[in-house]
């Protein structure tokens, strides 16, 4: 039995605008998500050749996939896909996310006005980018990192699992990328090593565990610019989510004080169906005003754990560039990108 040409299938499926991900099951089911709608088909030949297909597609995967295995796969045209294989009651499934060939600019991604400049000016502290899986967090971080490298230069260290975007060194900026499980044994070990290398910016792809959150917090407190992604639903509750990883019962007041003193910004994003594919909308929470001064009121709310108050503060601080979902959606409607 020969392997099914799954990469040819993916190339055709993801070439259409608005395609964000696909799921391939050992039963032969192929589900493609396009503009937030799922289209499902069944390919018997895929089910019949599943073992051979997976062996050809993911030759380095471990034998035990109960915890999932994620890697980057390239097709014949150098198109890259992030793939995660895991077990389910019917057998196995591969979740596929197509990646762009190059890092897009903040303008191409339609990032909020002023966000690139705010990130480029940072001299230290924690910059969080949040959202659900597949909302474009990694794309936003990559875009901001590349933009800062072009405008300010410096040494950039990334800790990722896997490495989704490949940065290019320039005459004023150098990138040092590490993949957990390949160039580093763990996130925490990679973070500890990175702090010894005097980076101007440290990027952590995803904060999931306590040791990662604690090390990120320590790096931000030590004066480094730390950009990290996290799963969260709103900008005002992202600090709560971060603290929940550090201390699940949220009773670690020391962690609250530490986060309040080093948190610089929170960006939350979602993708919604538009006229020409998915359109991003954002929430932005800044901890500095337009003169670069710290906003003591926001620090106090984080120390108190007052997340409702934090959202209310976003409403009254729009003059500093803060943005809420409703305002971002209204802007997209004015731009003619989404229905009224």
């Amino acid at each position: 039995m020969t392997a099914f040409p799954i990469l040819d299938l993916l190339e055709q499926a993801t070439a259409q605008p608005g395609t964000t991900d696909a799921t391939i099951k050992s039963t032969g089911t192929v589900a493609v998500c396009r503009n937030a709608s799922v289209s499902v088909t069944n390919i018997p030949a895929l089910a019949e050749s599943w073992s051979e297909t997976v062996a050809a597609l993911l030759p380095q995967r471990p034998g035990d996939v109960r915890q999932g295995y994620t890697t980057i796969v390239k097709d014949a045209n150098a198109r890259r896909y992030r793939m995660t294989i895991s077990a389910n009651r019917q057998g196995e499934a591969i979740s596929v996310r197509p990646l762009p060939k190059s890092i897009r600019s903040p303008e191409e991604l339609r990032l909020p006005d002023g966000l690139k400049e705010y990130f480029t000016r940072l001299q230290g502290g924690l910059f969080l980018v949040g959202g659900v899986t597949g909302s474009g967090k990694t794309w936003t971080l990559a875009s901001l990192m590349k933009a800062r490298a072009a405008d300010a230069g410096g040494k950039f260290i990334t800790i990722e699992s896997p490495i989704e975007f490949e940065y290019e060194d320039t005459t004023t900026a150098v990138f040092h990328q590490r993949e957990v499980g390949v160039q580093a044994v763990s996130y925490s070990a990679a973070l500890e090593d990175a702090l010894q290398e005097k980076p101007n910016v440290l990027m952590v792809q995803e904060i999931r565990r306590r040791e990662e959150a604690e090390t990120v917090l320590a790096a931000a407190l030590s004066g480094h610019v730390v950009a990290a992604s996290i799963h969260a639903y709103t900008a005002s509750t992202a600090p709560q989510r971060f603290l929940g990883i550090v201390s699940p019962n949220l009773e670690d007041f020391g962690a609250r004080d530490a986060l309040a003193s080093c948190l610089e910004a929170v960006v939350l994003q979602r993708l919604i169906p538009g006229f020409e594919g998915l359109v991003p909308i954002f929430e932005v929470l800044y901890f500095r005003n337009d003169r670069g001064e710290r906003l003591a009121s926001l620090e106090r709310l984080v120390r108190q754990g007052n997340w409702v108050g934090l959202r209310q503060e976003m409403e009254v601080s729009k003059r500093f560039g803060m943005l809420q979902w409703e305002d971002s959606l209204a802007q997209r409607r004015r731009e003619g990108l989404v229905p009224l």
Side-chain angles (χ1 to χ4, degrees):
M1 183 69 68
T2 58
F4 185 84
I6 196 67
L7 288 176
D8 293 342
L9 175 66
L10 288 174
E11 184 178 17
Q12 296 174 11
T14 60
Q16 300 185 46
T19 303
T20 55
D21 59 274
T23 300
I24 307 164
K25 299 176 68 175
S26 57
T27 57
T29 297
V30 177
V32 177
C33 185
R34 185 175 297 117
N35 293 331
S37 296
V38 176
S39 176
V40 181
T41 188
N42 190 269
I43 305 176
L46 174 59
E48 295 168 2
S49 61
W50 181 258
S51 296
E52 293 78 8
T53 299
V54 172
L57 192 63
L58 307 172
Q60 303 300 321
R61 70 146 179 171
D64 183 359
V65 297
R66 289 178 296 176
Q67 297 299 317
Y69 169 67
T70 301
T71 190
I72 302 297
V73 175
K74 293 183 181 180
D75 64 18
N77 296 316
R79 182 69 189 272
R80 302 168 74 243
Y81 303 89
R82 173 177 171 143
M83 295 191 178
T84 300
I85 184 169
S86 56
N88 61 56
R89 70 177 182 84
Q90 295 175 307
E92 294 179 322
I94 301 175
S95 296
V96 183
R97 194 182 308 167
L99 300 173
K101 291 185 177 180
S102 61
I103 298 174
R104 297 175 182 173
S105 69
E107 293 75 22
E108 290 174 315
L109 291 180
R110 297 193 175 98
L111 300 187
D113 293 339
L115 184 63
K116 178 183 72 172
E117 292 74 18
Y118 188 95
F119 181 70
T120 300
R121 289 195 303 266
L122 286 179
Q123 298 301 308
L126 180 58
F127 185 96
L128 282 178
V129 176
V132 301
T133 299
S135 60
K137 301 185 295 296
T138 305
W139 291 33
T140 293
L141 279 173
S143 180
L144 292 173
M145 292 275 285
K146 184 178 179 180
R148 176 166 175 143
D151 291 348
K155 184 175 184 177
F156 298 76
I157 297 179
T158 74
I159 300 170
E160 307 170 71
S161 180
I163 292 174
E164 293 191 16
F165 294 94
E166 297 174 345
Y167 300 91
E168 297 293 334
D169 296 338
T170 70
T171 56
T172 58
V174 62
F175 286 89
H176 186 179
Q177 293 183 263
R178 287 178 176 163
E179 182 170 332
V180 176
V182 180
Q183 290 87 26
V185 296
S186 67
Y187 272 98
S188 58
L191 279 165
E192 290 174 5
D193 288 344
L195 295 180
Q196 306 301 316
E197 300 172 29
K198 297 182 180 179
N200 295 102
V201 181
L202 175 62
M203 191 272 276
V204 181
Q205 187 183 58
E206 193 78 57
I207 300 173
R208 298 187 182 94
R209 301 173 183 85
R210 181 173 182 172
E211 61 176 354
E212 298 158 15
E214 289 177 337
T215 312
V216 162
L217 194 56
L221 286 169
S222 68
H224 294 83
V225 175
V226 183
S229 60
I230 190 171
H231 287 113
Y233 191 64
T234 65
S236 57
T237 58
Q240 179 185 22
R241 165 69 176 150
F242 182 94
L243 290 168
I245 298 174
V246 176
S247 177
N249 58 14
L250 295 178
E251 293 179 357
D252 189 338
F253 297 106
R256 281 192 202 173
D257 287 343
L259 182 61
S261 64
C262 72
L263 187 57
E264 291 287 344
V266 180
V267 180
L268 260 287
Q269 56 191 77
R270 300 175 188 169
L271 295 175
I272 62 173
F275 293 120
E276 299 179 358
L278 295 176
V279 176
I281 61 171
F282 297 90
E283 279 200 330
V284 179
L285 174 61
Y286 291 136
F287 279 72
R288 292 186 183 273
N289 61 23
D290 50 358
R291 298 186 299 276
E293 301 164 338
R294 291 286 291 179
L295 297 172
S297 58
L298 270 65
E299 284 193 29
R300 182 176 62 254
L301 291 169
V302 173
R303 285 191 171 91
Q304 295 170 345
N306 186 349
W307 318 120
V308 173
L310 204 58
R311 183 161 188 81
Q312 292 171 342
E313 189 71 18
M314 290 175 64
E315 176 66 30
V316 301
S317 299
K318 292 180 181 179
R319 65 187 184 278
F320 300 137
M322 298 195 200
L323 189 65
Q324 292 182 299
W325 297 124
E326 297 82 1
D327 301 316
S328 183
L329 180 58
Q331 180 181 348
R332 297 305 187 217
R333 286 171 173 164
R334 291 193 297 270
E335 294 168 343
L337 298 173
V338 297
L340 296 175

